[in-house]
Short mmCIF file of all heavy atoms in Angstrom, two decimals:
data_model
loop_
_atom_site.label_atom_id
_atom_site.label_comp_id
_atom_site.label_asym_id
_atom_site.label_seq_id
_atom_site.Cartn_x
_atom_site.Cartn_y
_atom_site.Cartn_z
N MET A 131 149.01 110.61 132.38
CA MET A 131 149.35 110.12 133.71
C MET A 131 150.75 109.51 133.74
O MET A 131 151.50 109.67 134.70
CB MET A 131 148.31 109.09 134.16
CG MET A 131 146.89 109.66 134.30
SD MET A 131 146.74 110.86 135.63
CE MET A 131 146.86 109.78 137.05
N LYS A 132 151.10 108.79 132.67
CA LYS A 132 152.44 108.22 132.60
C LYS A 132 153.50 109.31 132.54
O LYS A 132 154.56 109.20 133.16
CB LYS A 132 152.55 107.30 131.38
CG LYS A 132 151.76 106.00 131.50
CD LYS A 132 151.96 105.14 130.26
CE LYS A 132 151.19 103.83 130.38
NZ LYS A 132 151.35 102.97 129.17
N ASN A 133 153.21 110.36 131.78
CA ASN A 133 154.18 111.45 131.65
C ASN A 133 154.36 112.19 132.97
O ASN A 133 155.39 112.83 133.19
CB ASN A 133 153.73 112.43 130.57
CG ASN A 133 153.82 111.83 129.17
OD1 ASN A 133 154.59 110.89 128.94
ND2 ASN A 133 153.04 112.36 128.24
N ALA A 134 153.34 112.13 133.82
CA ALA A 134 153.43 112.84 135.09
C ALA A 134 154.58 112.34 135.95
O ALA A 134 155.16 113.11 136.74
CB ALA A 134 152.11 112.71 135.86
N MET A 135 154.94 111.07 135.79
CA MET A 135 156.05 110.52 136.57
C MET A 135 157.36 111.23 136.25
O MET A 135 158.26 111.29 137.09
CB MET A 135 156.18 109.02 136.27
CG MET A 135 154.94 108.20 136.60
SD MET A 135 154.53 108.27 138.36
CE MET A 135 155.94 107.41 139.06
N TYR A 136 157.45 111.79 135.06
CA TYR A 136 158.67 112.48 134.65
C TYR A 136 158.93 113.73 135.50
O TYR A 136 160.08 114.13 135.70
CB TYR A 136 158.57 112.87 133.17
CG TYR A 136 159.63 113.82 132.69
CD1 TYR A 136 160.93 113.38 132.42
CD2 TYR A 136 159.35 115.17 132.52
CE1 TYR A 136 161.91 114.26 131.98
CE2 TYR A 136 160.32 116.06 132.09
CZ TYR A 136 161.58 115.60 131.82
OH TYR A 136 162.56 116.49 131.39
N TYR A 137 157.86 114.32 136.02
CA TYR A 137 157.99 115.58 136.73
C TYR A 137 158.30 115.41 138.21
O TYR A 137 158.51 116.39 138.92
CB TYR A 137 156.72 116.40 136.56
CG TYR A 137 156.43 116.76 135.13
CD1 TYR A 137 155.47 116.07 134.38
CD2 TYR A 137 157.12 117.79 134.50
CE1 TYR A 137 155.22 116.39 133.06
CE2 TYR A 137 156.88 118.12 133.18
CZ TYR A 137 155.92 117.42 132.46
OH TYR A 137 155.67 117.75 131.15
N ILE A 138 158.29 114.18 138.70
CA ILE A 138 158.57 113.96 140.12
C ILE A 138 160.02 114.35 140.43
O ILE A 138 160.96 113.79 139.87
CB ILE A 138 158.31 112.49 140.52
CG1 ILE A 138 156.82 112.17 140.36
CG2 ILE A 138 158.77 112.24 141.95
CD1 ILE A 138 156.46 110.75 140.68
N THR A 139 160.18 115.33 141.30
CA THR A 139 161.50 115.85 141.63
C THR A 139 161.61 116.02 143.15
O THR A 139 161.00 116.94 143.71
CB THR A 139 161.75 117.22 140.96
OG1 THR A 139 161.51 117.10 139.57
CG2 THR A 139 163.17 117.69 141.21
N PRO A 140 162.32 115.14 143.82
CA PRO A 140 162.46 115.30 145.27
C PRO A 140 163.37 116.48 145.60
O PRO A 140 164.23 116.86 144.80
CB PRO A 140 163.10 113.97 145.70
CG PRO A 140 163.83 113.50 144.49
CD PRO A 140 163.02 113.96 143.31
N PRO A 141 163.17 117.09 146.76
CA PRO A 141 164.07 118.18 147.18
C PRO A 141 165.51 117.68 147.29
O PRO A 141 165.75 116.51 147.59
CB PRO A 141 163.51 118.60 148.54
CG PRO A 141 162.12 118.06 148.58
CD PRO A 141 162.12 116.82 147.75
N SER A 142 166.44 118.56 147.05
CA SER A 142 167.85 118.20 147.12
C SER A 142 168.62 119.21 147.97
O SER A 142 168.12 120.30 148.27
CB SER A 142 168.46 118.14 145.71
OG SER A 142 168.47 119.43 145.12
N TRP A 143 169.83 118.84 148.34
CA TRP A 143 170.66 119.73 149.13
C TRP A 143 171.02 120.98 148.33
O TRP A 143 171.15 122.08 148.89
CB TRP A 143 171.92 119.00 149.55
CG TRP A 143 172.88 119.82 150.37
CD1 TRP A 143 174.13 120.21 150.03
CD2 TRP A 143 172.63 120.38 151.67
NE1 TRP A 143 174.69 120.97 151.03
CE2 TRP A 143 173.79 121.08 152.05
CE3 TRP A 143 171.54 120.35 152.54
CZ2 TRP A 143 173.90 121.75 153.26
CZ3 TRP A 143 171.65 121.02 153.75
CH2 TRP A 143 172.82 121.71 154.10
N VAL A 144 171.16 120.84 147.02
CA VAL A 144 171.46 121.99 146.16
C VAL A 144 170.33 123.02 146.24
O VAL A 144 170.57 124.23 146.31
CB VAL A 144 171.68 121.53 144.71
CG1 VAL A 144 171.85 122.74 143.79
CG2 VAL A 144 172.90 120.62 144.61
N MET A 145 169.08 122.54 146.23
CA MET A 145 167.94 123.45 146.34
C MET A 145 167.96 124.18 147.67
O MET A 145 167.66 125.38 147.73
CB MET A 145 166.63 122.66 146.20
CG MET A 145 166.41 122.04 144.85
SD MET A 145 164.86 121.10 144.82
CE MET A 145 164.93 120.38 143.17
N ALA A 146 168.31 123.48 148.72
CA ALA A 146 168.38 124.11 150.04
C ALA A 146 169.46 125.18 150.10
O ALA A 146 169.26 126.26 150.68
CB ALA A 146 168.63 123.05 151.11
N LYS A 147 170.60 124.93 149.45
CA LYS A 147 171.69 125.91 149.44
C LYS A 147 171.29 127.16 148.68
O LYS A 147 171.69 128.27 149.03
CB LYS A 147 172.94 125.28 148.82
CG LYS A 147 173.62 124.25 149.72
CD LYS A 147 174.73 123.52 148.99
CE LYS A 147 175.80 124.45 148.47
NZ LYS A 147 176.91 123.71 147.81
N ARG A 148 170.48 127.00 147.64
CA ARG A 148 170.06 128.17 146.85
C ARG A 148 169.18 129.12 147.64
O ARG A 148 169.09 130.30 147.32
CB ARG A 148 169.30 127.70 145.60
CG ARG A 148 170.20 127.05 144.55
CD ARG A 148 169.36 126.49 143.42
NE ARG A 148 170.20 125.81 142.43
CZ ARG A 148 169.72 125.03 141.47
NH1 ARG A 148 168.40 124.81 141.38
NH2 ARG A 148 170.54 124.45 140.61
N LEU A 149 168.53 128.61 148.68
CA LEU A 149 167.65 129.46 149.48
C LEU A 149 168.42 130.55 150.21
O LEU A 149 167.87 131.62 150.52
CB LEU A 149 166.86 128.62 150.49
CG LEU A 149 165.81 127.66 149.93
CD1 LEU A 149 165.14 126.91 151.07
CD2 LEU A 149 164.76 128.40 149.11
N VAL A 150 169.68 130.29 150.54
CA VAL A 150 170.45 131.25 151.33
C VAL A 150 171.43 132.04 150.46
O VAL A 150 172.19 132.87 150.99
CB VAL A 150 171.21 130.52 152.46
CG1 VAL A 150 170.24 129.87 153.42
CG2 VAL A 150 172.17 129.46 151.89
#
Side-chain angles (χ1 to χ4, degrees):
M131 297 293 288
K132 289 182 179 179
N133 290 337
M135 300 298 294
Y136 168 77
Y137 298 102
I138 296 178
T139 307
S142 65
W143 180 245
V144 174
M145 294 178 184
K147 288 172 59 177
R148 288 174 182 167
L149 292 179
V150 297

